[in-house]
Amino acid sequence: MTVHHFQPQQYVNTLGQHPPVLHISSGDTVVTSTVDARGWDHKGEAAAARGNPMTGPFYVEGAMPGDTLEVALESLVPNREWGWTRNALALNVVDPHIAAVLHPSEIVRWTVDVANGLAFLENPTPGLANLKLPLRPFLGCFGVAPGMGQSISTATSGEYGGNMDYRELIAGVTVYFPVLTEGALFHLGDGHATQGDGEIVGTGIEISLDVRFTVRLRKGKTIGWPRGESDTHVFCIGNSRPLDQALQHATTEMLAMLQEDYSLTATEASLLLGQTVEYDIANVYNPAYSIACKLPKELLATL
Amino acid sequence: MTVHHFQPQQYVNTLGQHPPVLHISSGDTVVTSTVDARGWDHKGEAAAARGNPMTGPFYVEGAMPGDTLEVALESLVPNREWGWTRNALALNVVDPHIAAVLHPSEIVRWTVDVANGLAFLENPTPGLANLKLPLRPFLGCFGVAPGMGQSISTATSGEYGGNMDYRELIAGVTVYFPVLTEGALFHLGDGHATQGDGEIVGTGIEISLDVRFTVRLRKGKTIGWPRGESDTHVFCIGNSRPLDQALQHATTEMLAMLQEDYSLTATEASLLLGQTVEYDIANVYNPAYSIACKLPKELLATL
Amino acid sequence: MTVHHFQPQQYVNTLGQHPPVLHISSGDTVVTSTVDARGWDHKGEAAAARGNPMTGPFYVEGAMPGDTLEVALESLVPNREWGWTRNALALNVVDPHIAAVLHPSEIVRWTVDVANGLAFLENPTPGLANLKLPLRPFLGCFGVAPGMGQSISTATSGEYGGNMDYRELIAGVTVYFPVLTEGALFHLGDGHATQGDGEIVGTGIEISLDVRFTVRLRKGKTIGWPRGESDTHVFCIGNSRPLDQALQHATTEMLAMLQEDYSLTATEASLLLGQTVEYDIANVYNPAYSIACKLPKELLATL
Amino acid sequence: MTVHHFQPQQYVNTLGQHPPVLHISSGDTVVTSTVDARGWDHKGEAAAARGNPMTGPFYVEGAMPGDTLEVALESLVPNREWGWTRNALALNVVDPHIAAVLHPSEIVRWTVDVANGLAFLENPTPGLANLKLPLRPFLGCFGVAPGMGQSISTATSGEYGGNMDYRELIAGVTVYFPVLTEGALFHLGDGHATQGDGEIVGTGIEISLDVRFTVRLRKGKTIGWPRGESDTHVFCIGNSRPLDQALQHATTEMLAMLQEDYSLTATEASLLLGQTVEYDIANVYNPAYSIACKLPKELLATL
């Protein structure tokens, strides 16, 4: 139950077979920080190479393929006063004839007012002069090392997690990852101050974060895709392209979860999901898209 | 501003060029009823052929291609005490290896208790013995006749609306359809007592409804896809396969709406959508899937 | 075995429930003509509305849902000396960032030299000054009326055939359509002088044709999707979006054909298809894409 | 211009940052061998771990990101007398309702008669008793290390090549890969004695090979996706899911190639491709599907 204060010195741009920066044990807490998607740190200085540089990996003692790694996100706080987004819809989220006329995307800066919990454009045009968005910081890219000795770019995602850009992965949420390699090798980064569904301009409000999380190892518990639990929902995430396949993965994992953890038959799970399931489109921008399949905990509690 | 009480005598299984059952004017209200997806009426008797039989079409005086038809859904009330669903996940929403082991889907009955606003299985297995779902009745299939003299099965959907199976289209919501043929030719049916996102067992709780709606004609207002407004959101619906294209259509329509109705530039609309958009997966079962692109009205009011 | 000489007076822009222009019998031959995709006839005059106007429909005596209509394409000859194409890749066949920079598509004219069997640009730029393409005329859009009383735009395709734009459907080929409505209601049009795979500029060399075909009714033979036979191959066509689903439909139909017509087991058909199947991407432009699943007749003859 | 005779001692199951097994120079030839997809060697003995074990990587002196690696496949000869395939269609190439009834896939053995150039089932059922297929050996998985320090499973493919399972990559073909890391790091394996389009049972006739290839470095020539040249065609390969995106990548690369190597304008390339392009569905089974966009060399020679 140690609390580790870890100050990253270097970052990696793949989730994979990197030398661990720290060995931790099930139950340990880590207090650390992440730089933003372009490698800019809390001072706005370039501290890492572009492309979702990761803090970590953290080696979890005893973790072996077939286990599950539980990560409780306890605190995610922007540690500087500005973030940035792109300013044009991604070409793949609009009809091709519109993609052909959208102006090239540029980077714009947002003020991130942590004290008041708000973000707003630094230099808004008149139409957005009054826009103030509540902060809702989350981790865009985190997860374990993929299996089979792979090291995969933090641009994408898979069974191991990665760049899911799912805006519900805020502080207070617990995420479960399948352990695919010895030590699990947990990485994290790509903080967003807030974001809409789908990351449809290709970014949230990108920002560096102070992070506190606690890991727990579920020995012998095997899952297929990231799962999680928030105050209100349980969920499973599928990562793939196209959206249709991401949805298939997420739904298949939810079906398994209901059978394993809630002792429902496949028919019962189908009847329940058919009339109550909720889906979130986490991202529809990255090489692999992400969809979350959700159920309200309140509903499950009544069963 | 006439209120028409219309008792359907026959039903149609395409949205298209059928002789109108009634001529109505902009501002008129229609009180009528719909049979369920299999044609069973309020008595549970077969009143129409299977496959989403429609009440209508209603000819709206003066409606011409290029106009928009506004349909305010004022009341949607189940008019019998039971509905039905399928009981297995649709084969296309799970991974193929799971599809290969799911049992064949069967029809099961649910009690629909309108007085108490609840639905529950008539003969639940133990795992769902306590399941009680709040009623949230909506129209699964409705819209105008498609253009170019087409008549298209009520199994699918398009720019004209149709079988969108979007669970947010409840009483209190106003839906806008592009008028594609003279008189608009509005059809409605396929009531659901409730449903989850995506209609992933291939049905909501299918039921016959008593319906009250009011039409208004927006002369000269041209839209590309169904739009709507609820208590909390404005939204645009895209209907296509795969999900990726449905999302492109919905997002493109939202971009157009923000430019036309809220005077935002494409860049402003992009910045706003990027950090605040919400998507609903309306259905991922029909020949054309449906996705809604949404924004909170409260947010738009601050601009 | 009558030979009907039919001169079309009017055209339709949907495949569907139109009054037949002629009643014909199994074994009959029809000699007729088609206008091009914009309705321009053999004189280059506007004879019909844009959007793949169809000659027909022809009512086949005795045809009922569940039967199969065999159509032997005996002669397809351009009846004027020029055609036209678009001149830019369709936005959906290139990466979105390229779609954003392609110039708008324009119409260009090609000389169609039937005597010498060649097509070439009327006003080529230097890079294509020497381009001469062999003519290979085929029907872009033809098929029977869809079922359930539908009338569907000739822009798209389905189980009934329609706008498949498959460049192998040349004279000498026999195509089989599932009969979905009484009389089958066969329509034809949208001739192309030649075309690449996929119709990736959105057109072949669009041209009006003189056509001769013979129909035969296969009573009680039921198929799911268009099938066909050329000098060298048998094939099945799937029409849908995305390509993945079109391929699923085509492969499923081929599996059924091998079981029904060649008495193979599912395992035998799988083993054979796995090591010998050929796919053509017929079109990747229309609302429904088309893929053909093929096997060489020579191979099948050895079994 | 050295000829290296390289006998592999170990194999890798990712394309990535492995210690090179040999340093070679532009112009060098390598004579080596590959084991089959399950790691079985020329004696049928397990020599490597399952999952497309690779021979290599070969470090090409002087190769740097931004260059192109040319690989001339000079000889690909099966080095044992049997191979194996699966015997059921992959669940993703048929409609879901068929997927649900296909029997589980099993491994079956084929005799590979190199002397006579034929393959046939060892224990055929009656329907395939006479099936003899001509050998057409090719490499299923080969390519360079992906960029950014990644190591990616040989199950999939990308810009770097990988598991494309494209049956046209036979001896006599030259393939071009973008160099993405210092030394290029060329890997090869996963030989197939023959295969249909799409690898739709999930395998070709899997077999170990004797291989001879020659590399040439094209300094400063930058390409985006694998390109190639056979006796009859030039081609570009796109690897992604769904098929629609693989086709977009392949077509985009072909457009670039026609502009760079044939000095065509985008309009000229569009006009040419529109009426003459050919597509092959290389595989529709792996995590990333592969499509080749082709043009006949004879046609290009006339320009």
Side-chain angles (χ1 to χ4, degrees), chain A residues 14 148 150-151 153 241 245, chain D residues 14 150-151 153 241 245:
Chain A
T14 60
M148 294 181 296
Q150 295 182 92
S151 293
S153 163
R241 234 187 225 216
Q245 191 177 45
Chain D
T14 59
Q150 296 181 91
S151 293
S153 163
R241 234 186 226 216
Q245 191 176 44

Side-chain angles (χ1 to χ4, degrees), chain B residues 13-14 18 147-156 240-242 245 287 289, chain C residues 13-14 18 147-156 240-242 245 287 289:
Chain B
N13 292 82
T14 59
H18 303 286
M148 296 180 295
Q150 294 181 94
S151 294
I152 298 181
S153 163
T154 52
T156 193
S240 191
R241 236 187 224 214
Q245 190 175 46
Y289 297 154
Chain C
N13 294 81
T14 60
H18 304 286
M148 294 182 297
Q150 295 182 92
S151 293
I152 297 181
S153 163
T154 52
T156 194
S240 189
R241 234 185 224 215
Q245 191 176 45
Y289 297 155

Side-chain angles (χ1 to χ4, degrees), chain D residues 43-82:
Chain D
K43 290 186 262 184
E45 292 174 0
R50 281 173 67 154
N52 294 342
M54 296 282 105
T55 297
F58 299 92
Y59 183 104
V60 181
E61 296 293 346
M64 292 295 290
D67 298 338
T68 289
L69 182 67
E70 173 185 325
V71 180
L73 301 172
E74 293 166 351
S75 175
L76 299 171
V77 181
N79 60 20
R80 69 174 191 234
E81 295 183 355
W82 60 273

Side-chain angles (χ1 to χ4, degrees), chain C residues 153-175:
Chain C
S153 163
T154 52
T156 194
S157 61
E159 292 88 342
Y160 57 90
N163 197 28
M164 303 182 286
D165 289 310
Y166 179 30
R167 64 156 150 167
E168 295 299 321
L169 301 179
I170 59 176
V173 168
T174 299
V175 187

Side-chain angles (χ1 to χ4, degrees), chain A residues 9 104 142 144 216 255 257:
Chain A
Q9 303 299 321
F142 63 125
V144 297
R216 283 181 196 83
L255 175 62
M257 189 175 82

Side-chain angles (χ1 to χ4, degrees), chain D residues 119-159:
Chain D
F120 43 91
L121 286 159
E122 286 196 359
N123 297 295
T125 48
L128 300 183
N130 297 320
L131 180 68
K132 290 193 194 305
L133 300 179
L135 296 187
R136 209 155 181 275
F138 68 96
L139 284 176
C141 180
F142 62 124
V144 297
M148 295 182 295
Q150 296 181 91
S151 293
I152 298 182
S153 163
T154 53
T156 193
S157 62
E159 291 88 341

